[in-house]
C-alpha cells in the first residue's frame, strides 16, 4: 500500500536559519488563492542553479515530487504557511509547480466522492 | 491563474475535516490515531473577525493571529486525500477564524463528560455556519458515563446530529468516528434529496 509512512518524507530539511520574513523578501501579501490543503506538485525539476530561486524554493521543488498540501510543505520546512504560499506562488509563476485548489464548498462534492471516501475509510 | 487539470499529472482531490472541542479533549490524539503520517504542525496566520467588543466606532476591527494547528492525512487510493485538522484548543475564540472552516466537508466535536460545556462554542459555531458535524464523546478513564441521549439533551442538539462514544487513542474508534461524520455529511449535502 502506498499509505505506508514514508521515512523519506519525514526527514526534515535543513532548518532555515533565516527568518521567514527574509526568505519571503519582506512580502507578506501571500496570495489567498492557496488554501492550506491546496496541493502542489513539481512539474519541472530545479537544479539549484536557477537565478532567483532561493534554497527554500529548491527545497519545495524537491519535496513536491509527490503532491503535497501547503500545510505539509510548511510543516516539513518548519515555515509558517503564509511564507510557503509566497514561495509557491513564485514557483507557480515560473512553471516549476502546478497547484490544485481544493474543491469549493457546495460544489462537486458529489455522490461518487462520498462513496469512495466511505469505502476508503472502511478499508483502513 | 491556478493551472488546470490538463497540464500536469492527475492530482488527488484534497478534503478537509476538522476535529474541534475544548482544551485537552483529545483532538491531537485522535488526529494521530487515524493519520497515516505522524501528526504535523503548521503555523497559520488567520484573520480575526471582530467579536464585537471594544469597538464602538462601528468599523469592523480586523486583526490577525498566528495559531498552530496539528494535522494528519489519510490517502484514499490515488484519488482523495483527507486532511484532518485539530482546531487550536488553547484559543478560546478559534471559531472566529472562518478560514479554518471554509471548505471543510464536516467536523467532529469532541466532548469530555467532565467538562461538557467546553464544547458549546464549537457546537454553536458549526450549527450557525451550517457545517455538518457530529459529536464524539471521548471516554476518559473515571469520567462520568452519560447516556448518549443525555449528552444530546445537554448540548441541545438537533435530532439529526449523530452522537457516539469514542476512544481517541484507538485507531478503530477514530475510524468509526470519521465514517459516521462522512455518512452524516453525505446525507446533509446540498443536493441531497431530503
Ligand atoms: N484516558 C484517555 N486519555 C486520553 C484520551 N484521549 C486523549 N487522552 C489524553 O488526554 C491528553 C490531552 O489529549 P490531546 O490529544 O493533547 O488533547 P487536545 O484536544 O489536542 O489538546 P489541546 O490541543 O491542548 O487543546 C493527553 O494526555 C492524551 O493522552 C482518551 O480517550 N482516554
Ligand atoms: Mg492538540
Amino acid at each position: 500500500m502506498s499509505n505506508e509512512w514514508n521515512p523519506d518524507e519525514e526527514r526534515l530539511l535543513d532548518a532555515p536559519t533565516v527568518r521567514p520574513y527574509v526568505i519571503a523578501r519582506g512580502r507578506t501579501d501571500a496570495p489567498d488563492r492557496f488554501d492550506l490543503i491546496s496541493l502542489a506538485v513539481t512539474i519541472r525539476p530545479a537544479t539549484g542553479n536557477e537565478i532567483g530561486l532561493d534554497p527554500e524554493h529548491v527545497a519545495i521543488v524537491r519535496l513536491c515530487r509527490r503532491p503535497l498540501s501547503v500545510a505539509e510543505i510548511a510543516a516539513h520546512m518548519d515555515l509558517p504557511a503564509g511564507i510557503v504560499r509566497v514561495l509557491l506562488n513564485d514557483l507557480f509563476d515560473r512553471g516549476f509547480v502546478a497547484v490544485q485548489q481544493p474543491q469549493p464548498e457546495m460544489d462537486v462534492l458529489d455522490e461518487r466522492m462520498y462513496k469512495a471516501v466511505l469505502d476508503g475509510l472502511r478499508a483502513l | 491563474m491556478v493551472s488546470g487539470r490538463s497540464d500536469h499529472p492527475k492530482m488527488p482531490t484534497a478534503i478537509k475535516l476538522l476535529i474541534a472541542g475544548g482544551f485537552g479533549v483529545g483532538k491531537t490524539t485522535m488526529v494521530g490515531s487515524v493519520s497515516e503520517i505522524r501528526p504535523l504542525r503548521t503555523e497559520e496566520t488567520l484573520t480575526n473577525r471582530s467579536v464585537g467588543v471594544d469597538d464602538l466606532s462601528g468599523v469592523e476591527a480586523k486583526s490577525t493571529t498566528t495559531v498552530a494547528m496539528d494535522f494528519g492525512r489519510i490517502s484514499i487510493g490515488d484519488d482523495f486525500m483527507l486532511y484532518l485538522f485539530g482546531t487550536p484548543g488553547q484559543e478560546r475564540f478559534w471559531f472566529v477564524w472562518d478560514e479554518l472552516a471554509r471548505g471543510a466537508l464536516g467536523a467532529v466535536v469532541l466532548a469530555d463528560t467532565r467538562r461538557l460545556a467546553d464544547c458549546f462554542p464549537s457546537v454553536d459555531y458549526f450549527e450557525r455556519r451550517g457545517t455538518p458535524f457530529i459529536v464524539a464523546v471521548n471516554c476518559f478513564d473515571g469520567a462520568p458515563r452519560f447516556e448518549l441521549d443525555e449528552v444530546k439533551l445537554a448540548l441541545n442538539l438537533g435530532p439529526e446530529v449523530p452522537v457516539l462514544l469514542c476512544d481517541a487513542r484507538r485507531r478503530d474508534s477514530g475510524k468509526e468516528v470519521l465514517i459516521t461524520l462522512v455518512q452524516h455529511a453525505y446525507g446533509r449535502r446540498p443536493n441531497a434529496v431530503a
Side-chain angles (χ1 to χ4, degrees):
Chain A
M1 284 229 300
S2 63
N3 291 1
E4 292 294 310
W5 190 40
N6 177 6
D8 220 337
E9 180 184 284
E10 286 295 316
R11 205 190 315 120
L12 287 180
L13 299 155
D14 294 340
T17 47
V18 265
R19 282 172 303 122
Y21 179 81
V22 177
I23 297 173
R25 298 205 179 85
R27 290 167 300 167
T28 52
D29 53 342
D32 277 342
R33 63 177 198 242
F34 297 150
D35 190 276
L36 270 182
I37 60 165
S38 290
L39 297 176
V41 70
T42 297
I43 50 176
R44 178 152 73 93
T47 61
N49 297 322
E50 289 84 359
I51 290 163
L53 286 197
D54 294 329
E56 290 76 15
H57 287 114
V58 177
I60 292 179
V61 171
R62 299 217 166 116
L63 260 180
C64 292
R65 280 177 296 211
R66 291 190 303 147
L68 279 185
S69 62
V70 168
E72 283 166 293
I73 298 167
H76 287 310
M77 296 187 63
D78 200 15
L79 287 174
I83 303 297
V84 169
R85 288 188 175 91
V86 172
L87 298 173
L88 266 184
N89 192 48
D90 298 338
L91 291 170
F92 175 81
D93 285 345
R94 294 186 56 176
F96 286 99
V97 299
V99 179
Q100 178 167 285
Q101 294 287 58
Q103 309 290 359
E105 205 167 8
M106 309 289 185
D107 194 22
V108 283
L109 301 180
D110 61 307
E111 204 160 321
R112 264 179 318 121
M113 182 212 71
Y114 283 96
K115 295 248 155 83
V117 170
L118 282 171
D119 287 347
L121 284 174
R122 289 194 185 103
L124 279 187
Chain B
M1 285 285 278
V2 174
S3 64
R5 283 172 170 271
S6 51
D7 60 345
H8 59 75
K10 187 179 177 310
M11 284 211 252
T13 300
I15 297 168
K16 178 160 64 177
L17 301 177
L18 302 180
I19 314 281
F23 176 71
V25 74
K27 300 177 294 289
T28 303
T29 305
M30 178 168 284
V31 168
S33 69
V34 291
S35 176
E36 71 198 22
I37 55 170
R38 177 174 58 83
L40 298 173
R41 172 161 282 223
T42 186
E43 256 182 36
E44 175 78 312
T45 304
L46 300 173
T47 313
N48 200 350
R49 186 156 42 73
S50 164
V51 199
V53 282
D54 312 334
D55 186 18
L56 303 174
S57 68
V59 179
E60 198 189 352
K62 282 203 175 176
S63 57
T64 57
T65 321
T66 300
V67 294
M69 283 175 293
D70 295 321
F71 67 98
R73 186 187 73 196
I74 300 173
S75 36
I76 309 273
D78 294 330
D79 292 337
F80 300 100
M81 294 266 227
L82 291 186
Y83 286 99
L84 307 167
F85 285 89
T87 60
Q90 73 279 21
E91 304 288 344
R92 214 169 133 228
F93 293 116
W94 66 267
F95 45 86
V96 300
W97 302 309
D98 283 326
E99 284 116 308
L100 271 188
R102 190 184 306 140
L105 182 81
V108 175
V109 176
L110 272 178
D112 175 349
T113 52
R114 295 167 300 182
R115 302 172 288 149
L116 215 44
D118 286 7
C119 69
F120 287 170
S122 305
V123 167
D124 282 347
Y125 176 70
F126 294 124
E127 266 175 1
R128 257 185 298 119
R129 200 175 184 288
T131 303
F133 72 98
I134 66 170
V135 175
V137 180
N138 200 8
C139 301
F140 283 92
D141 310 320
R145 301 286 154 136
F146 287 106
E147 293 298 324
L148 291 178
D149 281 347
E150 293 179 86
V151 173
K152 214 162 185 165
L153 205 63
L155 294 179
N156 195 19
L157 297 175
E160 76 289 351
V161 178
V163 181
L164 74 169
L165 300 175
C166 75
D167 183 332
R169 297 163 301 181
R170 287 186 35 229
R171 182 176 165 84
D172 270 6
S173 180
K175 195 178 125 175
E176 189 197 353
V177 167
L178 296 183
I179 289 171
T180 305
L181 173 63
V182 176
Q183 260 166 348
H184 177 59
Y186 175 63
R188 296 251 346 250
R189 72 196 193 285
N191 50 346
V193 184

